[in-house]
Amino acid sequence: MSAVGTLLGYALTAFLLVLVARLVLDWARAAAEGPHWVRRARALTHTATEPVIAPVRRVLRPVRAGEISIDLAFTAVFVVVLILRSVAFNL
């Protein structure tokens, strides 16, 4: 295992955790508006992940299912980060 692969793997793990936090905070927002720190944490996670998700969203448009919109870009980025993380740790 190389040091570069390990560092890249840890960076991808940190990004994955931010993606999971974004997911949870978006679900919490759907349930109800929370206190100020929830809005601040949500803004922080969106700031950290949107530069990666936005270009993918231009290619994979959200799918409408009645009143619900499913963001395929988030799912695609999540899966790609999981795959890249596995590859990086195996370098």
Side-chain angles (χ1 to χ4, degrees), residues 21-41:
R22 175 183 172 147
L23 180 69
V24 170
L25 290 170
D26 281 349
W27 284 350
R29 180 174 179 234
E33 283 296 320
H36 178 68
W37 66 268
V38 173
R39 289 188 297 267
R40 177 102 171 141

Side-chain angles (χ1 to χ4, degrees), residues 4-77:
V4 174
T6 302
L7 288 175
L8 184 59
Y10 285 135
L12 289 168
T13 300
F15 187 73
L16 191 64
L17 290 173
V18 173
L19 281 173
V20 170
R22 175 183 172 147
L23 180 69
V24 170
L25 290 170
D26 281 349
W27 284 350
R29 180 174 179 234
E33 283 296 320
H36 178 68
W37 66 268
V38 173
R39 289 188 297 267
R40 177 102 171 141
R42 184 175 179 273
L44 183 66
T45 59
H46 276 257
T47 301
T49 58
E50 198 60 28
V52 177
I53 294 175
V56 178
R57 191 176 289 128
R58 283 188 219 111
V59 176
L60 292 174
R61 306 296 298 170
V63 175
R64 301 283 303 165
E67 297 293 320
I68 299 171
S69 179
I70 301 169
D71 189 6
L72 296 177
F74 179 89
T75 306
V77 168

Side-chain angles (χ1 to χ4, degrees), residues 72-83:
L72 296 177
F74 179 89
T75 306
V77 168
F78 191 84
V79 169
V80 168
V81 169
L82 283 174
I83 292 168

